[in-house]
Each structure stands twice: as structure tokens, then as C-alpha cells.
Amino acid sequence: IALYPDTDSAIEDISNEAIVSDEDQGAVRMILDNLRVSNSIKTKIQDEFQNILNVLKFDEKGHDIFRTWYVDGRIYYHILVDEKNPKAGIVELRQIDPRKIRKIKNVVREKNASGVEIVKSVEEYYLYNDKGITEVSTQGVKLPLDSVIYVPSGWIDQKSVV
């Protein structure tokens, strides 16, 4: 529906109001005044926040990132860390099409001696398939949970509301 001109115009207005920046100040900032930690920890948090904004190129792409999130209701990023120098932290965040990734949770159950079913193990991961994910998709690349950032809108399908 975002392809219709009237809807596109409304989405553009919302995006322009949500992401506002000027030369003196960026579009987003983190205020840690009420956080009860030492100033050195606050400085480290602020530095890492700024690093993430730089990796995302938020000053240049913030509007597009917000628009994509607003239209899709969710956004995924694959976190890339330099394997040769992991202490360098995150070097790149690659946006993933939400239609090509799904969180998978495999629960292995077993009946004990008294016949009660117990959970033996749980395997969770993201499944990425460049051709798209369907209800029966079992092929793709397994990505560990901690290698993917998932940001939902918080809205859920009305059918699932009790």
C-alpha cells in the first residue's frame, strides 16, 4: 500500500517529522541522566551508541531506515564483527529483508519414566534464505541469535490478540 501516491506522501510526512536533524545536533541522542552508574560507564555507553550511529550512517540514512521500519513494521540487521580483531567490535550492520528471515525454535521433547513429557533441549536460530521464507522453508543459512538484531514495531496481528 506504500506504493500508492497518497499513502507514500503520508508516510513521507511521518518520516520527516520523526527524523529531524540539524547541523548542531543529530537526529537521535541518548540521555543517561537518570541511569545510576558511574560516569566512566556512561561515557562508554555514549561512545558505543555513537559508534552504532556511525556504522549505520544514521546522519545520511536515518530517514530511510525509519521509513523502512515504519512501512514493514520490523527491521532486521546482521551484525558483522571482525573475526581477526573481535575487540574492535561491530564493523558493519547489514540490513536484511524481513521476508527472507525467520526465527526458528526447535524444541526436543522426551517422555520420562512416568510418561510425562519434558523438554530435553531447545535450539533457537534465525534461518535466512535469499529466495524468501515460507511456512515450509527448511533450507537456508542458520544465523546465531546473537548475530541478528530484530526491531519490531511492537504491534501484533489482531488475529493473535486474546
Side-chain angles (χ1 to χ4, degrees):
I1 196 167
L3 298 175
Y4 291 107
D6 291 343
T7 307
D8 179 62
S9 177
I11 292 169
E12 195 63 29
D13 288 345
I14 292 167
S15 298
N16 287 335
E17 290 294 322
I19 305 296
V20 178
S21 62
D22 59 28
E23 293 176 15
D24 299 332
Q25 197 169 311
V28 293
R29 62 189 166 122
M30 186 182 300
I31 300 171
L32 301 174
D33 295 343
N34 294 330
L35 186 63
R36 295 181 189 157
V37 296
S38 68
N39 285 336
S40 65
I41 292 175
K42 286 181 183 181
T43 301
K44 289 178 184 179
I45 292 170
Q46 289 286 9
D47 291 345
E48 197 55 38
F49 181 72
Q50 193 58 47
N51 179 46
I52 295 298
L53 292 177
N54 292 338
V55 169
L56 283 172
K57 298 178 183 153
F58 199 83
D59 287 339
E60 303 162 27
K61 299 181 179 182
H63 180 273
D64 295 331
I65 291 169
F66 178 83
R67 182 182 169 85
T68 300
W69 172 82
Y70 186 77
V71 169
D72 290 339
R74 60 195 170 159
I75 198 164
Y76 291 88
Y77 284 97
H78 185 209
I79 304 168
L80 298 173
V81 177
D82 184 359
E83 291 181 15
K84 295 177 184 171
N85 185 12
K87 291 193 180 219
I90 297 171
V91 293
E92 186 178 352
L93 293 170
R94 288 191 187 157
Q95 194 169 340
I96 301 172
D97 185 338
R99 297 169 296 177
K100 297 180 179 184
I101 190 166
R102 171 175 287 155
K103 187 175 183 181
I104 304 293
K105 186 174 187 177
N106 291 330
V107 179
V108 177
R109 297 178 184 189
E110 191 175 87
K111 288 189 178 184
N112 65 9
S114 59
V116 176
E117 201 172 83
I118 60 170
V119 175
K120 184 176 179 182
S121 66
V122 178
E123 179 187 22
E124 289 184 280
Y125 57 91
Y126 285 97
L127 184 66
Y128 173 78
N129 187 329
D130 195 39
K131 295 177 182 166
I133 298 286
T134 64
E135 289 296 322
V136 294
S137 293
T138 58
Q139 294 182 341
V141 177
K142 284 184 177 182
L143 301 173
L145 289 181
D146 61 354
S147 72
V148 176
I149 298 170
Y150 171 54
V151 184
S153 68
W155 288 96
I156 55 173
D157 187 354
Q158 291 299 318
K159 292 181 236 172
S160 63
V161 176
V162 179

